[in-house]
Amino acid sequence: MGPSSLLCFTIISFFLIFQPCFSKKTYIVHMKHHQKPLSFSTHQDWYSSQVKSLSSTTSESTLLYSYDTAYPGFAASLDPNEAEQLRQSDDVVGVYEDTVYTLHTTRTPEFLGLDNELGLWAGHTPQELNNAAQDVVVGVLDTGVWPESESFNDIGMPDVPSRWKGECESGPDFDPKKHCNKKLIGARFFAKGYRMSSSAFTNQPRQPESPRDQDGHGTHTASTAAGAPVVNASLLGYASGTARGMAPRARVATYKVCWPTGCFGSDILAGMDRAILDGVDVLSLSLGGGSGPYYRDTIAIGAFTAMERGIVVSCSAGNSGPAKASLANTAPWIMTVGAGTIDRDFPAFAVLGNGKKLTGVSLYSGNGMGKKMVALVYNTDSSGSLCLPGSLDPKNVRGKIVVCDRGTNARVEKGLVVKEAGGVGMILANTVESGEEMVADSHLLPALAVGRKVGDFVRQYVKNEKNPMAVLSFGGTVVNVKPSPVVAAFSSRGPNTVTPQIMKPDVIGPGVNILAAWSEAIGPTGLEKDTRRTEFNIMSGTSMSCPHISGLAALLKAAHPDWSPSAIKSALMTTAYVRDATNSPLRDAEGGQLSTPWAHGSGHVDPHKALSPGLVYDIAPSDYIKFLCSLDYELSHIQAIVKSPNVTCAKKFADPGQINYPSFSVLFGKSRVVRYTRAVTNVGAAGSVYEVVVDAPPTVSVTVKPSKLVFKRVGQRLRYTATFVSKKGVSTMTKSAFGSIFWNNAQNLVRSPVSYSWSQLFN
């Protein structure tokens, strides 16, 4: 055995990977779809031939997926040399290693005004709207489904729409005849990318390959979007009430693309491909990765085809806030959803030895601590302060309450670390990064989360007090919490780094402490050592806000079946609100300061107003192509995204911001003048008249012409031009500012947020 072989074996042994050094990986191959030779009857035959022709000394390479609609190409198991051979082919646009995406992990219907007591919805009674929603199918790409959940019961549902081409697939723990019905009308799984990845690791337990949800996340998101009403739902007594989805009569189809090691791009594309062919009306994806050019973004490419076919695609913005420019899923044909709080909370209390009573939140449901105070400790070294696994010495924490800093590892894992070291309670204290945002968790020991200010007080108390003591207690569920909503600190933020001329996120929705159905294969914390089982769970994340908007899109689709995806998106954006329940501007949980459109987009969704928006900003697929052409991508990349060889980019926007988007992102660079023309379509009454109102920062002057729009008929489209001028003498401290353009009449307020950025100052 030579030195290089020995080195290779050592590295492999260290990582417990047993495979050749130049092992095979999954690659996604971007083909020039239209160049298929006539000698091949199908694209799959052509792709298979491409893979088989590769010269390699290793074992035979495998075609994993041949994509029909979502992506122009295929996924295959290749070694690096074979991948390079394909890159040299004239038929190939690009060869990319498979990307791993991550999941962005009952009071909300009432909070959004979706109870049945609020009269007509755009001329529909709630019952009429629910009946219309029975023809709408919401496709959810996630960790699968727990089909036994009452949220997927089909009581009173009519037959499955005849146009539906989907099906339920069988697995060792999933029987289509038993587990699917008129509510859950599709359940598929896509595991080839996961299988290729997991085969390398002998220490990673393999999950049965079936549509069944072993994680809980997919069941939670699917039931949030379109779960049937379930009375007396709660998480171990918390948030008790009726749990129901946003579109409770819509059909659900689940596509399991996420597995214990992540969500692989090859599997996601296969799921999107199948969902489009099955006939879903809405696609909901509570997952994402980093940001990059659209031709490298598998979700964006799949979503483009979905949009062309009239499917609304709703994606989570990510949980990387409060860092700026941390967004995922930024393509303009995707609805990018951030997260806010709702008006429900789960208070918990810590009384310190000095008599000070502190308030936090918790979903702890076990036996309380009683009234006897115990010692309180805080380990100041970095790993100990974070309560990382193995960081706590049982001699120092046994029988005590431990203060743990939030961050790095999962909040519930910190509680388990404390418990296993002999601690009897935990105070989970925020740091600067999370500010005053408190997320409740179903901890395995008495524990509560507190904001940064309270956390700093506790840390100081432990440091200065000779014998620090505390006792914890729990206050159950409270509602009508104010202010609400507040933008979640974890919700990913703009600006959009892929296309700065498109403001993202688009909207926020409920994403903190959301009750929905859960998998009974796992405890509410998701920890392996959590042996509790519950039919519902409370979770937080943009993963939770995304399916809220997916379900609302289904309702809009039911009310307005002729609306395009961009019209539905526009309706949700231009009617969103930016003032909370106290009529104050939306605030940000990070530090409690006022929020901006880089955090909340157009605002928090308002379903009632979205059903009758008055005006919509519609965007045709051809406009998205002009947008792509303005990005200076290679023509082959654009042709691959739109799956058409006929795109020439003879017509393109001079600036990506010229697309007819419902919001504005103005960049002052080489010029102090930016001018955009927009077109709005009247979906209200004939004879509607709108007048413009401009809210601009002092650093910018804004003119809109014409200042009045008179619509003679329904469906009429009128244009206006907004001119933005950066004033001279703008401070060097000014990097960004925000404002709005409103079109108003007695019935409607159609609002577009405007963000301003300066890369150059003008004197």
Side-chain angles (χ1 to χ4, degrees):
M1 183 184 288
S4 61
S5 300
L6 181 63
L7 175 64
C8 180
F9 177 77
T10 304
I11 293 171
I12 288 171
S13 299
F14 181 76
F15 285 102
L16 295 175
I17 299 175
F18 300 96
Q19 54 182 338
C21 285
F22 297 105
S23 59
K24 292 184 181 293
K25 298 177 181 178
T26 302
Y27 290 86
I28 296 175
V29 183
H30 215 157
M31 298 291 289
K32 293 178 181 174
H33 199 60
H34 53 283
Q35 290 188 190
K36 177 182 74 69
L38 295 175
S39 55
F40 296 101
S41 58
T42 67
H43 280 88
Q44 180 167 347
D45 291 343
W46 182 36
Y47 300 155
S48 182
S49 173
Q50 291 267 353
V51 172
K52 288 177 180 175
S53 69
L54 296 170
S55 58
S56 174
T57 57
T58 62
S59 59
E60 187 178 342
S61 299
T62 308
L63 179 70
L64 301 178
Y65 294 114
S66 172
Y67 303 117
D68 292 316
T69 58
Y71 194 87
F74 61 92
S77 163
L78 308 168
D79 67 33
N81 291 332
E82 293 168 332
E84 189 54 41
Q85 285 181 57
L86 278 175
R87 285 191 186 98
Q88 306 307 317
S89 169
D90 290 338
D91 296 326
V92 174
V93 176
V95 180
Y96 312 117
E97 196 171 322
D98 203 0
T99 305
V100 183
Y101 293 81
T102 55
L103 296 164
H104 292 151
T105 174
T106 57
R107 180 126 178 104
T108 50
E110 290 85 350
F111 182 68
L112 288 168
L114 290 181
D115 54 8
N116 286 341
E117 307 300 324
L118 294 177
L120 293 178
W121 288 52
H124 300 267
T125 66
Q127 187 60 46
E128 287 171 342
L129 191 63
N130 280 331
N131 288 342
Q134 292 172 163
D135 290 328
V136 178
V137 183
V138 180
V140 182
L141 272 72
D142 213 296
T143 63
V145 65
W146 190 261
E148 292 88 353
S149 169
E150 277 298 301
S151 293
F152 306 113
N153 82 72
D154 65 351
I155 296 171
M157 295 288 286
D159 289 342
V160 175
S162 58
R163 64 180 177 83
W164 177 244
K165 296 182 176 66
E167 64 181 50
C168 290
E169 297 175 351
S170 61
D173 54 7
F174 200 96
D175 180 350
K177 292 180 181 178
K178 178 181 175 184
H179 291 133
C180 284
N181 55 26
K182 295 175 183 177
K183 176 67 174 178
L184 180 62
I185 65 171
R188 297 182 184 271
F189 65 95
F190 302 87
K192 293 176 181 177
Y194 159 65
R195 198 183 303 149
M196 278 300 302
S197 165
S198 63
S199 65
F201 295 89
T202 58
N203 63 339
Q204 178 66 51
R206 284 290 295 276
Q207 193 177 102
E209 292 183 9
S210 88
R212 182 171 290 279
D213 182 10
Q214 304 286 344
D215 176 274
H217 191 278
T219 300
H220 200 281
T221 55
S223 62
T224 298
V230 182
V231 298
N232 299 321
S234 74
L235 167 60
L236 304 172
Y238 284 100
S240 182
T242 298
R244 48 166 291 211
M246 298 298 98
R249 299 291 285 179
R251 318 290 181 143
V252 175
T254 63
Y255 299 82
K256 183 172 180 177
V257 297
C258 296
W259 303 87
T261 50
C263 318
F264 292 86
S266 55
D267 295 333
I268 294 169
L269 270 180
M272 295 183 83
D273 200 53
R274 194 63 251 176
I276 292 167
L277 293 170
D278 285 349
V280 301
D281 299 291
V282 178
L283 266 177
S284 188
L285 292 88
S286 289
L287 50 90
S291 56
Y294 300 126
Y295 59 84
R296 288 294 311 272
D297 185 338
T298 51
I299 293 175
I301 294 173
F304 192 95
T305 301
M307 173 274 301
E308 284 186 304
R309 304 213 177 181
I311 300 167
V312 180
V313 182
S314 171
C315 295
S316 46
N319 297 341
S320 300
K324 286 185 176 178
S326 53
L327 292 161
N329 301 317
T330 59
W333 49 88
I334 287 173
M335 181 67 127
T336 310
V337 185
T341 63
I342 62 173
D343 63 344
R344 177 180 63 199
D345 220 338
F346 310 100
F349 309 99
V351 177
L352 304 182
N354 60 9
K356 183 80 172 176
K357 185 176 184 179
L358 309 175
T359 301
V361 297
S362 181
L363 293 169
Y364 174 69
S365 59
N367 295 325
M369 294 186 62
K371 296 182 179 180
K372 184 181 177 182
M373 293 231 173
V374 299
L376 182 66
V377 295
Y378 177 58
N379 195 333
T380 53
D381 73 73
S382 58
S383 63
S385 69
L386 288 163
C387 300
L388 300 179
S391 67
L392 299 181
D393 185 344
K395 288 184 291 186
N396 297 331
V397 304
R398 187 174 291 117
K400 300 174 183 178
I401 296 172
V402 182
V403 180
C404 299
D405 291 342
R406 182 172 167 182
T408 305
N409 60 329
R411 301 181 302 270
V412 289
E413 183 183 59
K414 295 174 190 288
L416 179 61
V417 170
V418 172
K419 183 178 182 180
E420 291 186 332
V424 296
M426 175 181 71
I427 298 176
L428 179 60
N430 280 7
T431 57
V432 173
E433 187 173 71
S434 298
E436 297 309 309
E437 170 192 78
M438 296 182 290
V439 179
D441 293 298
S442 183
H443 292 285
L444 291 169
L445 83 171
L448 76 159
V450 297
R452 181 186 64 83
K453 292 175 185 175
V454 172
D456 287 347
F457 183 89
V458 173
R459 284 181 279 255
Q460 202 64 33
Y461 168 74
V462 175
K463 179 181 177 183
N464 295 334
E465 189 72 20
K466 188 175 182 181
N467 294 304
M469 307 283 283
V471 65
L472 310 182
S473 60
F474 304 92
T477 305
V478 298
V479 295
N480 299 318
V481 173
K482 294 179 181 178
S484 61
V486 173
V487 179
F490 61 73
S491 189
S492 290
R493 312 302 166 95
N496 178 352
T497 56
V498 182
T499 316
Q501 298 88 342
I502 302 295
M503 186 194 293
K504 290 282 180 171
D506 292 311
V507 292
I508 61 170
V512 178
N513 296 336
I514 303 302
L515 179 77
W518 191 244
S519 167
E520 293 183 52
I522 195 166
T525 62
L527 296 171
E528 193 175 329
K529 295 187 179 180
D530 187 352
T531 58
R532 298 170 298 175
R533 294 295 181 264
T534 177
E535 295 177 12
F536 291 84
N537 199 5
I538 293 171
M539 295 184 73
S540 298
T542 55
S543 275
M544 282 64 252
S545 53
C546 168
H548 278 88
I549 275 59
S550 306
L552 296 180
L555 286 179
L556 264 65
K557 191 90 173 175
H560 305 286
D562 56 334
W563 280 13
S564 70
S566 58
I568 290 173
K569 182 175 169 181
S570 171
L572 287 163
M573 290 173 67
T574 62
T575 58
Y577 58 84
V578 291
R579 303 187 80 82
D580 64 26
T582 67
N583 202 32
S584 301
L586 290 179
R587 292 197 168 271
D588 194 323
E590 189 226 352
Q593 73 270 25
L594 294 181
S595 179
T596 75
W598 283 349
H600 63 242
S602 293
H604 192 287
V605 290
D606 185 330
H608 276 272
K609 289 184 177 176
L611 278 159
S612 302
L615 305 174
V616 294
Y617 292 78
D618 213 349
I619 305 174
S622 58
D623 294 321
Y624 286 118
I625 294 172
K626 291 178 189 174
F627 162 83
L628 287 168
C629 289
S630 72
L631 301 180
D632 296 324
Y633 291 167
E634 291 180 21
L635 191 59
S636 60
H637 286 146
I638 297 169
Q639 289 171 339
I641 294 170
V642 303
K643 295 93 179 170
S644 170
N646 301 322
V647 174
T648 63
C649 285
K651 293 182 179 179
K652 68 177 184 176
F653 296 129
D655 169 349
Q658 288 183 332
I659 195 168
N660 199 41
Y661 214 66
S663 58
F664 295 84
S665 179
V666 177
L667 311 182
F668 293 117
K670 296 177 182 178
S671 172
R672 54 190 286 260
V673 179
V674 175
R675 185 174 287 111
Y676 288 135
T677 296
R678 294 284 197 266
V680 284
T681 303
N682 178 31
V683 294
S688 295
V689 178
Y690 289 83
E691 293 189 356
V692 75
V693 176
V694 174
D695 173 25
T699 49
V700 181
S701 67
V702 181
T703 56
V704 177
K705 293 182 179 179
S707 59
K708 181 184 286 189
L709 297 174
V710 180
F711 294 91
K712 296 178 180 177
R713 64 183 187 279
V714 178
Q716 185 178 359
R717 203 168 191 241
L718 295 178
R719 297 179 180 276
Y720 70 90
T721 298
T723 303
F724 309 95
V725 181
S726 174
K727 294 180 180 178
K728 293 183 178 179
V730 174
S731 165
T732 54
M733 300 296 290
T734 303
K735 299 293 184 185
S736 60
F738 304 93
S740 298
I741 293 175
F742 304 82
W743 288 101
N744 298 344
N745 65 15
Q747 289 75 38
N748 295 96
L749 189 153
V750 184
R751 179 182 167 278
S752 292
V754 187
S755 66
Y756 303 94
S757 302
W758 283 263
S759 60
Q760 184 174 326
L761 301 178
F762 305 96
N763 299 317

